[in-house]
Amino acid sequence: KGKRNGKGEHRYSNGDEYNGEWGNHQPHGLGRYSFQTGGSYEGQFDAGTFNGSGIRVWDDGSVYEGEWKGGFREGKGQHRFSSGDKYDGEWRNDKPHGCGRFVFHTGGFFVGQFENGELRCRNDGSVWKKNGKKRGEMAKANINITTAMNTKWSAGTVDWSALTSRQRSPRVS
């Protein structure tokens, strides 16, 4: 049996669907992958993973539009959460990392440095950690993180684990 190359579509046994360009029996080039659980990815693929520019929609309505590398958000991009919060900035290894702007659905915002998914204060280097623990004082960030939190936040840090695993990028077999 030959390998898929060129353009085409495929429905997987789990209900996921892919429609687009193929190379060496894998999504490669431009295409659209739809998850049977809801959500999709439309953009560039390389050897079966999200790679290059693309738009990922999760089943809860969250949307990421930007750069991907090896199935992870990497480079510049914007993630709009279903809560109305929005992060626009640099990404590394599927987490905000570098310069960015986080706008809360309540209207407040944070502009500054993110490190491995954590907010860093502008002047004193304080960090808000996951699971309700914090180091330092966020008062210098000029926002009220406590009242701006939603279900995806814990002490000012997004729970990125809710947007990981197979939901990131499919491996096609």
Side-chain angles (χ1 to χ4, degrees):
K1 197 172 182 180
K3 293 188 176 196
R4 290 184 187 103
N5 286 295
K7 291 186 178 180
E9 55 187 72
H10 181 73
R11 182 177 176 99
Y12 298 91
S13 59
N14 67 357
D16 291 357
E17 295 180 2
Y18 175 74
N19 187 350
E21 298 174 345
W22 292 83
N24 200 25
H25 203 61
Q26 300 179 83
H28 191 82
L30 293 176
R32 178 179 174 84
Y33 193 99
S34 300
F35 297 92
Q36 61 88 19
T37 56
S40 63
Y41 170 83
E42 188 164 354
Q44 297 172 319
F45 288 82
D46 183 28
T49 62
F50 307 160
N51 209 69
S53 296
I55 301 171
R56 171 72 168 97
V57 178
W58 277 263
D59 56 355
D60 72 351
S62 296
V63 178
Y64 172 80
E65 182 172 356
E67 299 172 352
W68 295 82
K69 184 176 180 185
F72 296 97
R73 291 168 285 192
E74 184 90 21
K76 294 186 188 261
Q78 181 183 89
H79 192 109
R80 294 182 309 277
F81 296 89
S82 59
S83 65
D85 294 346
K86 177 175 67 173
Y87 173 76
D88 190 359
E90 297 173 339
W91 293 79
R92 184 172 10 159
N93 199 26
D94 224 36
K95 296 178 182 177
H97 191 90
C99 294
R101 176 182 172 105
F102 195 96
V103 180
F104 298 93
H105 69 280
T106 57
F109 65 92
F110 176 86
V111 177
Q113 291 293 313
F114 290 76
E115 186 174 311
N116 212 17
E118 298 175 343
L119 304 173
R120 288 225 171 256
C121 285
R122 294 177 205 191
N123 300 323
D124 67 0
S126 301
V127 177
W128 276 71
K129 300 290 271 183
K130 292 182 182 176
N131 302 323
K133 296 181 172 55
K134 71 173 184 170
R135 292 192 317 228
E137 292 294 325
M138 282 302 285
K140 293 183 181 177
N142 300 322
I143 57 173
N144 186 338
I145 287 188
T146 304
T147 59
M149 286 191 261
N150 63 58
T151 57
K152 290 208 180 292
W153 280 79
S154 173
T157 301
V158 171
D159 180 8
W160 300 108
S161 65
L163 302 172
T164 58
S165 75
R166 195 176 122 25
Q167 291 288 334
R168 274 197 308 255
S169 179
R171 282 279 180 190
V172 179
S173 56

